[in-house]
Amino acid sequence: MTATTLRAPARAAGRGVGLAGTGTLMRIWLRRDRVMMPAWIYGLTALVSSTVYSFEHEYDTPSALAGFARGINGNPSTRALYGPVLNDGSVAGLSAWRIGATGAALTSVMCVLLVVRHTRAEEEAGRLELVGAAAVGRRAPLTAALLTAATAAGTLAAAAALVMILFGMPAAGSVAFGLSWFGAGLVFSGVAALTAQLAETSRLANGLAFAVLGASYLLRGVADAGSAHWLSWLSPIGWAQRVRPCADEQWAVLLLPLLASAVLVAAAHLLTGRRDLGAGIIAPSLGPAHAPPSLRGPFTLWWRLQRGTTLGWSAGFLVYGLAIGGVADGVGDLVNGSDAVLNDIRKMGGQQDIADAFLATAMGLMALFTAAYAVQSVLRLRAEESGGRLEPVLATAVGRTRWAVAALANTVAGTVVMLTATGLAVGLVHGARSDDLAGQLPRQLGAALAQLPSVWVVAATTVLLFGALPRAASAGWGVLAVFLLLGQVGPLLGLPQAVMDLSPFTHTPKLPGGDADPLPLLVLTAAAAALAAAGLAAFRRRDTP
């Protein structure tokens, strides 16, 4: 735990408006985020550099760029995913299009996590009550959290713009690109600040903020896919596109996120002074005095705790599967005869038909997202333990192994539901568009479910960290990040096969279209079972919390 000494109230600046101690708290938050924040900034900056490099490498003539842009703008599903291409004659314009909306959404996710982590989560853990006993103003934690998120978003925006400039992109367009991400981060920092006042738990605060983010992305997608383009003016993610980086920049649009974030922050500060510490504006219901029989076991208890998260992720997978299924049939037109793109897709998706290679690549990407859900779900074990909610459960007839196994069973079931939803969605849409529903539905479902053993290896590795090194359990995210880099960047960079074999996703058959060899799947499942068993054994032998 980080220790610090706060100044006395009489000497603290800003005490009249409840901001005393803001600077000290911000330094503490930045120190706590010294790993998380650079990881986000590095990952998204690497995304920018790899995208610009890919377009420079794969489309080396203006006609190839224009042909690719025509294919994108003529496909409603692709426009819904990424938006329309606004500048079809330059690498800079296509790079800004490809990662503009996605990067703005990911920047928003980073800011939401930072703000809720330093506000509602700190209150929930009781640490802000201790901090409040010192010379700290009531509004200081919220202000420090917002400044921390703004620092992260600003640093990311500067790094992204600098990378684009170093690749030779126009300076004005690169700066506009970075500022579009920064604006989205500011807006959703304000959204998170508001939801942290409304909700009594960090999970609900994150859930509400992510629901707003999802609705914003969906609204932008509807606007770009159809004819009601004005709808994108209602979405903060749409504002990032309306800045038009590298495509006749519209600088005045940047005022919209500034105004929106100012209103949201003011509302959050107003609500901060009108609620009790630890309480939310939305009062939780007490619920029945006695639990129904269905909630008297650890399995159903974990389902009750995880159902919101699982259903939310599953809905997102279903939407993504529908979009991928709609794009797959026309992926040949998007490639527009570019041999470099064909080679890259086949490196990642296997040597087969281009549509199958594209779908295999998409399935691999969905497996990584499923693994992210699995890591988050397993880390809930550590959150329950460190939050003091494990001990009351263990005081009943429930043993610690049974409690953990129940959580893992819910995690496994969640991964099956998500990939089943993906496979069914892709199979239905792709089958309908290719007039082969009976053949594509089971084919795509099988391809999706084949990703499960690799996902389980990542989850089981996190279980092992939780059991043996509980304080380092969050390193499960780092393990997933390494596998992500090996799987998505390794084939393009030509890394040695021995290095890429470290990732379990490398051993998953490239389906659909590849050789459906069951042996790697059986080996991965056995490895996952062994890692999980070792983690549970270590958890059984150590002290709690």
Side-chain angles (χ1 to χ4, degrees):
M1 179 176 177
T2 301
T4 186
T5 302
L6 299 176
R7 292 183 298 175
R11 290 178 291 157
R15 62 185 183 279
V17 292
L19 298 178
T22 298
T24 303
L25 283 177
M26 185 180 172
R27 287 194 294 274
I28 296 173
W29 296 164
L30 288 173
R31 182 174 178 180
R32 286 191 62 194
D33 295 333
R34 62 186 181 276
V35 175
M36 173 183 173
M37 191 184 297
W40 272 96
I41 294 171
Y42 175 78
L44 289 175
T45 305
L47 178 65
V48 174
S49 60
S50 64
T51 301
V52 176
Y53 174 81
S54 297
F55 275 113
E56 282 188 333
H57 172 67
E58 294 162 354
Y59 298 94
D60 51 358
T61 64
S63 61
L65 290 168
F68 178 79
R70 280 196 300 274
I72 293 296
N73 288 333
N75 190 312
S77 298
T78 313
R79 292 202 310 272
L81 276 177
Y82 303 112
V85 180
L86 301 175
N87 182 349
D88 59 0
S90 72
V91 171
L94 281 171
S95 301
W97 156 79
R98 178 62 180 82
I99 51 177
T102 306
L106 291 174
T107 304
S108 303
V109 170
M110 176 186 71
C111 290
V112 167
L113 293 175
L114 285 172
V115 171
V116 173
R117 169 183 166 94
H118 297 313
T119 53
R120 176 52 62 184
E122 289 293 303
E123 272 190 61
E124 192 177 359
R127 288 188 285 269
L128 277 192
E129 189 173 2
L130 294 175
V131 171
V136 175
R138 180 63 188 273
R139 292 180 172 80
L142 176 60
T143 306
L146 288 167
L147 291 174
T148 301
T151 301
T155 306
L156 170 60
L162 181 62
V163 165
M164 292 189 71
I165 292 172
L166 291 176
F167 269 97
M169 303 298 110
S174 301
V175 172
F177 176 78
L179 289 177
S180 67
W181 283 15
F182 180 62
L186 287 184
V187 172
F188 283 95
S189 294
V191 170
L194 191 59
T195 59
Q197 312 310 312
L198 297 175
E200 195 170 275
T201 65
S202 58
R203 287 173 57 82
L204 181 56
N206 278 324
L208 291 174
F210 288 142
V212 175
L213 175 58
S216 299
Y217 202 92
L218 184 62
L219 193 62
R220 181 215 56 80
V222 171
D224 289 335
S227 57
H229 302 305
W230 61 271
L231 285 174
S232 66
W233 286 105
L234 305 178
S235 164
I237 304 300
W239 298 343
Q241 286 184 318
R242 291 282 180 173
V243 175
R244 298 176 66 96
C246 305
D248 189 18
E249 294 80 15
Q250 301 297 310
W251 299 98
V253 179
L254 291 169
L255 292 175
L256 288 174
L258 289 178
L259 291 173
S261 60
V263 171
L264 289 166
V265 169
H269 274 295
L270 182 65
L271 293 178
T272 300
R274 297 190 175 187
R275 65 177 179 83
D276 293 332
L277 187 65
I281 298 296
I282 302 175
S285 59
L286 295 177
H290 301 284
S294 61
L295 285 180
R296 291 177 183 171
F299 291 91
T300 50
L301 173 62
W302 273 110
W303 164 244
R304 177 68 176 266
L305 294 173
Q306 290 285 91
R307 64 183 179 182
T309 303
T310 302
L311 294 177
W313 278 79
S314 299
F317 276 50
L318 185 64
V319 172
Y320 185 82
L322 294 173
I324 291 299
V327 172
D329 201 39
V331 68
D333 297 333
L334 298 181
V335 171
N336 195 37
S338 170
D339 292 336
V341 177
L342 284 170
N343 289 333
D344 286 346
I345 291 178
R346 283 174 173 155
K347 280 179 184 176
M348 299 175 68
Q351 300 291 335
Q352 62 270 135
D353 176 76
I354 184 62
D356 283 345
F358 171 76
L359 287 171
T361 302
M363 292 297 181
L365 190 61
M366 294 311 295
L368 288 166
F369 285 131
T370 310
Y373 160 81
V375 171
Q376 181 193 43
S377 181
V378 171
L379 289 180
R380 183 70 189 268
L381 288 163
R382 177 60 183 164
E384 292 294 308
E385 180 185 3
S386 58
R389 294 182 289 274
L390 170 59
E391 291 185 358
V393 175
L394 297 183
T396 66
V398 177
R400 61 170 65 189
T401 302
R402 188 180 171 208
W403 174 78
V405 168
L408 298 184
N410 271 276
T411 300
V412 170
T415 59
V416 173
V417 169
M418 288 171 197
L419 287 173
T420 299
T422 303
L424 289 176
V426 172
L428 282 172
V429 178
H430 183 49
R433 287 176 63 87
S434 60
D435 296 325
D436 185 23
L437 186 59
Q440 291 296 335
L441 188 58
R443 194 164 177 260
Q444 304 304 331
L445 180 60
L449 294 180
Q451 310 295 327
L452 282 170
S454 300
V455 172
W456 292 340
V457 169
V458 178
T461 304
T462 310
V463 173
L464 180 59
L465 288 168
F466 163 72
L469 302 167
R471 291 181 181 273
S474 58
W477 290 114
V479 173
L480 177 60
V482 171
F483 292 161
L484 170 66
L485 291 175
L486 289 176
Q488 299 300 308
V489 182
L492 302 181
L493 297 181
L495 293 180
Q497 189 61 41
V499 176
M500 292 196 292
D501 283 346
L502 295 174
S503 169
F505 299 98
T506 305
H507 305 283
T508 302
K510 303 296 185 185
L511 298 175
D515 182 15
D517 184 1
L519 181 59
L521 302 181
L522 293 174
V523 172
L524 288 171
T525 303
L531 288 168
L536 292 173
F539 174 55
R540 188 177 179 182
R541 287 172 172 76
R542 69 171 172 82
D543 293 332
T544 59

